[in-house]
């Protein structure tokens, strides 16, 4: 009986794979069909939370795009394939998207190993890979089909250094950073900028993403005797570090990168994140109309939930994709050629976004200097903490 | 000097946290000789039940603890009844795989119910903190320590002085004899799983409160650290698990103190390897005590392999070889390329795990060594890619065998744990040895595969290349298995004392197996590196090692065709289930469990 089971199983799975292949070949884009974008990102696995945040941002943007009449009368839609941020799966997804003629461009993946492993396939297959969280400096060097709206760390970190050193007057810094390609690149830019502004970096400590316990790291930090802590972290690890810093008796000013900007940071950090300073790309009271529209729309759609940085990246990315498809149509090469042509797309992160043709990235992210006051993000009023 | 006091206290605090998981693992190992990979998932379930109780139902702390303990114990009982009891008469490796499948299912269920976003789990204790050294400790630290120590003490007393405890120990020593003496072995197992799960659930909740944070990724980390602590203390030794945990916490803390944060886990795993090599029974076993593993190789039960006629294999190979000539989508080809690459890894692992009985849980390290060697040679020294791939294989064979050689004297589960540690060490060395490996930035711009000056870029050519390499490796390995050498390997697996009595040098044969296996895995990693064009320390992670082991057990240990069939199945199934989106890994876990349940000797059986 087990023999039989196996045979049916193998046959069944092969049949399903073939059927899937046949389906994607048979389906040709028709004008009543929506214009389809492929998304490769984590929906399960250790990074699943970021995939769900992307979806929220995408869906909100799509609602607005559809309400405004879609793309020249056609709807815009996306097909989200779960990669678990695993390069083996992201390359398979890349082949799937490349051979699916309905897909006009691709968004993602989340982590650098998964995204950059798929880049050669997108490049050779002639499908744009639009990586909106890919800050790895080599991502867009993968070829002319790689474009990114990820805020370049070369731009962001000097702003944070300026906030910490020039504005808050910190002179001797301890830098704690995620030991990933993003954290490492960010650290290097930050340290360089901070030194240029005249501060001394007393110690830098890299930690792995799964780390939960930072008490010993913080003792090391304490012994270096800094007057400020810089966190190049995501919100969950950032909150952990802030809590444990207070527990081991560190009372120094904490200044964090914009990636901690999330209501979760406040929820997870509790009282310990009070008075944490952070630079962000937007904030709730930001008078810019695109920000107000984004925040109001997001809260309405998701039961009053506050959007965070990853929601905003995804929202912007979908709007950018719509703008590009509006110019480029549904031809894959025309879409690539449309990227340099889009000008001043309204953006939460950049204000208005225009691609730099050389780097295939966007420069000039907005900057706001926030501080946590009474459990809320507030614009920093210039008062010392 | 004051800092050393702080490091010591911090080490003890985090050791406390590890102890909670380690005690549960030790209890289960003590009775069923099983590393319960689902313990971390029960810990996760406990944390989320705690969240529901605290945040939604507003239960007071004592009631929360009771609710979590009861609910987690129920989960443990269900796991024991449905997942493990049906497997008690099959090969000992089957329950191990079952716990991996169960942990997939539990983690996914929690993720689907609660979303993967991290949540805050507020502590219900008053925020009173005591100044110790220059830092502070809170009431929760004391509660965690209290729960850890009390449960270890209670368990110790229970095992030593109660009747059920005697039954548990009797079952641990000799299951059959215990049954003959009228011990209800199933009830004992139930009791143990219930207790261990209750403890696991409560610890998940307490640790969640401690960090004010719970998320679905906490399960694997908890299991890893718990296993390390448990083995350091002596597998199956409950008080030892507590001491092992505290020691692990201290070593990590001092490691951070001396070398910096990014070296932290390196010390944890070095400690583990050191303990395993010097005192394989754990720190607290007397030197003359018999090892807890059986003396003969019942770890891998013999079974009648399914013979596949040669013509059928030839037809299958021929069919797959001409597949790209038909109008199949590149997606199918790419999926099969992944299957062939995993197949090479599985060939390697099925040789060392199945044929010679060294069940490795760190096989991804061999991929990484091959990948980095080939990538760096072709980038920095402009070695032609074809040669670089072969060099990757050779480096993996040489370096991998050297690294694993200290674990040659170990048996059974201990080999798995030692290789797990070695795998982690390799990954951490890659992360930290920046001058060579470029650390977390990784290596980008790796040239594509090429042979004799022709680039292999199209999906079909990569397909043919990887398929051909895999078939050649499989043929070599098939030839090896039928040779005198293959018989010697199996003799060592089935009974190493008898094999030694016949004059076989164990270390030499184990080295030979790892050299051959390391080459296959290294080539697989090297091809992957050139295919991806970018690798970093996360590309070849622990999950890959676990996947490879799953493939090998699924296909049938030592079975060459089984390894390849298993690879196609485990690469193909998640792709087939794509239609189910978020549910696909859940379905995959359930299918895996069903396969283990009905075919514990693997699809094609052990050779």
């Amino acid at each position: 009986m087990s023999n039989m089971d196996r045979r049916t199983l193998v046959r069944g799975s092969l049949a399903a794979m073939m059927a899937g292949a046949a389906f994607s070949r048979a389906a040709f884009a028709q004008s009543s069909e929506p214009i389809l974008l492929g998304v490769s990102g984590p929906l399960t696995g250790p990074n699943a939370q970021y995939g769900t945040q992307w979806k929220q941002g995408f869906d909100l943007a799509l609602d607005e795009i559809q309400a405004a009449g879609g793309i020249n009368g056609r709807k815009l839609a996306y097909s989200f394939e779960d990669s678990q941020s695993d390069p083996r799966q992201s390359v398979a997804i890349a082949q799937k998207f490349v051979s699916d003629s309905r897909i006009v461009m691709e968004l993602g993946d989340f982590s650098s190993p998964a995204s950059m492993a798929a880049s050669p396939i997108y490049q050779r297959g002639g499908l744009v890979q639009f990586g909106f969280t890919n800050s790895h400096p080599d991502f867009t060097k993968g070829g002319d089909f790689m474009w990114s709206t990820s805020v370049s760390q070369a731009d962001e970190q000097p702003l944070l250094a300026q906030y910490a050193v020039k504005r808050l007057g910190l002179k001797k810094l301890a830098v704690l950073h995620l030991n990933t390609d993003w954290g490492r690149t960010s650290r290097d830019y930050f340290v360089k900028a901070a030194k240029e502004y005249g501060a001394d970096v007393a110690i830098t400590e890299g930690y792995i993403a799964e780390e939960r316990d930072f008490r010993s790291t913080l003792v090391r930090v304490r012994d270096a005797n800094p007057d400020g802590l810089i966190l190049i972290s995501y919100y969950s690890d950032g909150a952990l570090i802030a809590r444990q810093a207070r527990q081991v008796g560190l009372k120094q000013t904490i200044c964090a990168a914009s990636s901690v900007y999330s209501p979760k940071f406040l929820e997870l950090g509790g009282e310990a994140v009070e008075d944490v300073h952070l630079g962000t790309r937007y904030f709730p009271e930001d008078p810019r109309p695109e920000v107000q529209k984004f925040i109001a729309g997001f809260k309405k759609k998701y039961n009053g939930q506050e959007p965070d940085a990853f929601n905003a990246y995804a929202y912007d990315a979908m709007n950018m994709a719509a703008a590009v498809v509006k110019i480029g149509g549904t031809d894959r090469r025309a879409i690539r050629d449309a990227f340099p042509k889009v000008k001043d797309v309204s953006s939460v992160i950049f204000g208005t976004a225009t691609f730099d043709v050389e780097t295939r990235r966007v420069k000039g992210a907005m900057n706001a200097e926030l501080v946590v006051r009474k459990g809320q993000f507030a614009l920093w009023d210039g008062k010392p903490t | 000097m004051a800092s050393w006091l702080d490091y010591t206290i911090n080490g003890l605090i985090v050791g406390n946290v590890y102890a909670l998981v380690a005690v549960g693992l030790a209890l289960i190992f003590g009775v069923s000789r099983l590393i319960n990979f689902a313990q971390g998932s029960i810990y996760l379930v406990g944390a989320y039940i705690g969240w529901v109780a605290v945040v939604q139902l507003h239960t007071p702390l004592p009631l929360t603890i009771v609710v979590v303990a009861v609910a987690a114990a129920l989960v443990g009982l269900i796991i024991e009844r449905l997942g493990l009891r049906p497997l008690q008469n099959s090969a000992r490796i089957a329950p191990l795989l079952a716990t991996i499948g169960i942990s997939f299912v539990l983690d996914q269920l929690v993720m689907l119910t609660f979303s993967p976003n991290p949540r805050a789990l507020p502590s219900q204790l008053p925020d009173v903190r005591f100044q110790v050294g220059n830092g502070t400790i809170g009431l929760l630290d004391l509660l965690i320590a209290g729960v850890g120590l009390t449960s270890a003490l209670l368990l110790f007393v229970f095992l030593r002085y109660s009747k059920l405890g005697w039954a548990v120990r009797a079952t641990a020593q000799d299951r059959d004899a215990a049954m003959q003496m009228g011990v209800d072995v199933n009830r004992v197992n139930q009791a143990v799983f219930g207790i261990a799960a209750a403890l696991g659930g409560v610890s998940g909740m307490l640790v969640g409160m401690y960090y004010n944070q719970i998320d679905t990724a906490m399960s694997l980390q908890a299991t890893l650290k718990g296993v390390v602590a448990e083995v350091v203390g002596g597998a199956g030794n409950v008080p030892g698990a507590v001491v092992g945990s505290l020691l692990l916490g201290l070593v990590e803390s001092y490691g951070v103190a001396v070398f910096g944060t990014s070296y932290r886990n390196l010390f944890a795993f070095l400690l583990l390897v050191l303990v395993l090599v010097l005192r394989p029974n754990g720190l607290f076993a007397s030197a003359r005590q018999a090892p807890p593993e059986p003396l003969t190789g019942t770890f891998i039960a013999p079974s009648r392999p399914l013979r596949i006629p040669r013509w059928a294999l030839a037809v299958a190979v021929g069919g797959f070889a001409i597949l790209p000539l038909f109008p199949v989508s590149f997606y199918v080809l790419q999926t099969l390329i992944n299957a062939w690459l995993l197949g090479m890894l599985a060939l390697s692992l099925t040789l060392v795990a199945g044929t010679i009985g060294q069940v490795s849980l760190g096989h991804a390290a061999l991929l990484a060594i091959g990948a980095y060697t080939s990538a760096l040679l072709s980038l920095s020294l402009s070695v032609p890619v074809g040669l670089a791939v072969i060099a990757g294989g050779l480096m993996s064979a040489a370096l991998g065998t050297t690294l694993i050689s200290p674990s040659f004297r170990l048996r059974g589960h201990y080999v798995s744990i030692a290789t797990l540690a070695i795998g982690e060490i390799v990954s951490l060395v890659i992360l930290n040895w920046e001058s060579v490996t470029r650390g977390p930035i990784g290596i980008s711009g790796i040239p594509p595969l090429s042979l004799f000056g022709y680039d292999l870029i199209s999906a079909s050519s990569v397909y043919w290349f990887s398929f051909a390499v895999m078939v050649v490796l499989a043929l070599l390995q098939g030839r090896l298995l039928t040779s005198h050498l293959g018989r010697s390997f199996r003799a060592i697996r089935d009974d190493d004392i008898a094999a030694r009595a016949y004059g076989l040098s164990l270390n030499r044969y184990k080295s030979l197996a790892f050299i051959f296996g390391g080459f296959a895995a290294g080539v697989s990693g090297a091809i992957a590196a050139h295919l991806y064009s970018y690798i970093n320390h996360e590309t070849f992670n622990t999950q890959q090692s676990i996947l490879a082991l799953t493939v090998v057990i699924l296909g049938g240990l030592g079975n060459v065709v089984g390894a390849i069939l298993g690879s196609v199945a485990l690469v193909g199934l998640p792709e087939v289930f794509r239609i189910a989106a978020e549910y696909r890994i859940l379905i995959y876990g359930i299918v895996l469990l069903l396969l283990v349940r009905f075919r514990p000797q693997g699809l094609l059986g052990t050779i």
Side-chain angles (χ1 to χ4, degrees), chain B residues 235-269:
Chain B
N237 179 344
V238 171
V242 174
V243 183
S245 305
L246 296 178
L247 191 63
L248 175 64
L250 285 176
V251 167
E252 286 187 5
S253 187
Y254 293 145
V256 170
V258 178
F259 294 96
T261 309
S262 60
Y263 291 90
R264 171 187 193 133
N265 285 355
L266 196 58
F267 286 98
F269 290 109

Side-chain angles (χ1 to χ4, degrees), chain A residues 76 85 126 174 274 290 293 339:
Chain A
L76 189 64
S85 272
E274 192 68 15
E290 59 272 13
K293 185 174 146 203
F339 268 86

Side-chain angles (χ1 to χ4, degrees), chain A residues 219-243:
Chain A
V219 174
R220 249 179 108 84
V221 166
R222 186 194 70 201
D223 290 352
N225 205 13
D227 56 7
L229 266 61
I230 307 297
L231 307 186
I232 297 177
S233 311
Y234 289 171
Y235 52 80
S236 54
D237 33 314
L240 284 172
I241 296 175
R243 278 176 70 89

Side-chain angles (χ1 to χ4, degrees), chain B residues 113-453:
Chain B
T113 319
F114 293 97
S115 96
N117 272 324
R119 282 161 199 261
L121 179 57
S123 162
Q124 293 176 304
L125 286 171
D127 193 20
V128 183
R129 304 199 67 85
F130 309 99
Q131 187 79 25
V132 179
N134 289 304
T136 58
I137 59 172
L139 283 181
L140 201 53
D141 292 313
L142 298 178
L143 180 65
I144 289 176
V147 170
L149 288 175
T150 323
S151 57
L153 197 69
L154 280 180
L155 283 171
F156 185 74
V157 172
F158 164 75
L159 290 175
R160 187 133 296 198
Y161 299 107
S162 80
K163 207 156 185 192
L164 187 58
W166 294 348
V168 169
R169 280 163 59 214
T171 314
Q173 273 182 7
D174 191 329
R175 193 186 172 82
D176 294 329
M179 272 164 80
Q180 284 169 357
M181 300 311 288
V183 172
D184 185 347
V185 175
N186 285 334
R187 219 184 97 219
V188 168
N189 262 342
Q190 251 173 2
V192 164
F193 261 87
I195 297 172
L199 197 59
V202 171
S203 49
M205 182 203 73
L206 289 176
V207 173
M209 284 184 178
Y210 179 66
Y211 292 127
N212 189 35
Q213 184 166 336
I214 55 176
D215 63 57
T216 43
M218 64 199 267
S219 125
L220 180 67
Q221 285 304 309
T223 312
L224 276 183
K225 288 288 169 73
V227 167
V228 174
E230 185 219 346
V231 174
V232 168
N237 179 344
V238 171
V242 174
V243 183
S245 305
L246 296 178
L247 191 63
L248 175 64
L250 285 176
V251 167
E252 286 187 5
S253 187
Y254 293 145
V256 170
V258 178
F259 294 96
T261 309
S262 60
Y263 291 90
R264 171 187 193 133
N265 285 355
L266 196 58
F267 286 98
F269 290 109
L270 280 176
L271 169 74
L272 177 66
V273 172
L274 206 68
V275 168
L276 277 177
V277 170
L278 296 180
R279 293 190 71 93
N281 290 338
L283 287 179
F284 305 102
S286 74
R288 277 180 297 146
Q289 182 186 322
E293 291 291 335
L295 288 172
T296 50
T298 49
F299 196 59
I300 292 158
S303 72
R304 206 155 50 99
L306 209 73
R307 291 276 170 216
I308 298 178
R310 271 169 188 263
W311 62 264
L313 284 178
V315 168
V317 170
F320 278 117
I322 57 170
L323 188 69
L325 301 177
F326 293 95
V328 290
S329 78
F330 288 157
Y331 166 56
V332 174
L333 288 187
Q334 183 65 48
T335 305
L336 285 171
I337 291 170
N338 287 344
W340 306 146
L341 290 177
L342 182 61
M344 292 175 215
L345 180 68
L347 282 175
S348 158
L349 186 58
T350 209
L351 181 70
V352 300
T355 308
I356 201 162
Q358 306 286 298
V359 178
S360 157
L361 266 175
H363 239 57
L366 298 174
L367 288 178
I369 295 172
Y372 271 89
T373 307
S374 185
L376 289 171
L377 281 179
S378 57
L379 267 179
S380 314
L381 302 177
S382 313
V383 174
V385 172
L387 285 180
V389 167
I390 294 173
L394 292 175
M395 180 60 108
S396 197
L399 198 57
T401 310
T402 313
L403 287 173
I404 288 167
S405 59
S407 74
F408 283 165
R409 51 182 295 200
L410 304 173
R411 289 202 185 94
H413 280 104
Y414 290 92
V415 180
S416 314
I417 297 166
T419 46
L420 179 83
I422 291 163
E424 294 293 315
I425 290 171
V426 167
S427 153
L428 288 163
V429 167
I430 289 174
L431 177 62
N432 284 306
W433 194 11
E434 293 191 4
S435 55
V436 172
T437 62
R438 307 183 197 175
I441 304 290
I443 302 177
S444 57
I446 304 169
L449 287 169
S450 69
L451 266 188
F452 311 114

Side-chain angles (χ1 to χ4, degrees), chain A residues 3 21 45 59-60 73 92 109 117 131 142-143 177-178 191 225 235 252 256 290 319 323 355 384:
Chain A
N3 208 350
D59 290 342
L60 175 62
D109 202 282
H177 64 94
L178 260 175
V191 169
N225 205 13
Y235 52 80
Q252 282 89 337
E290 59 272 13
N319 281 328
F355 279 95

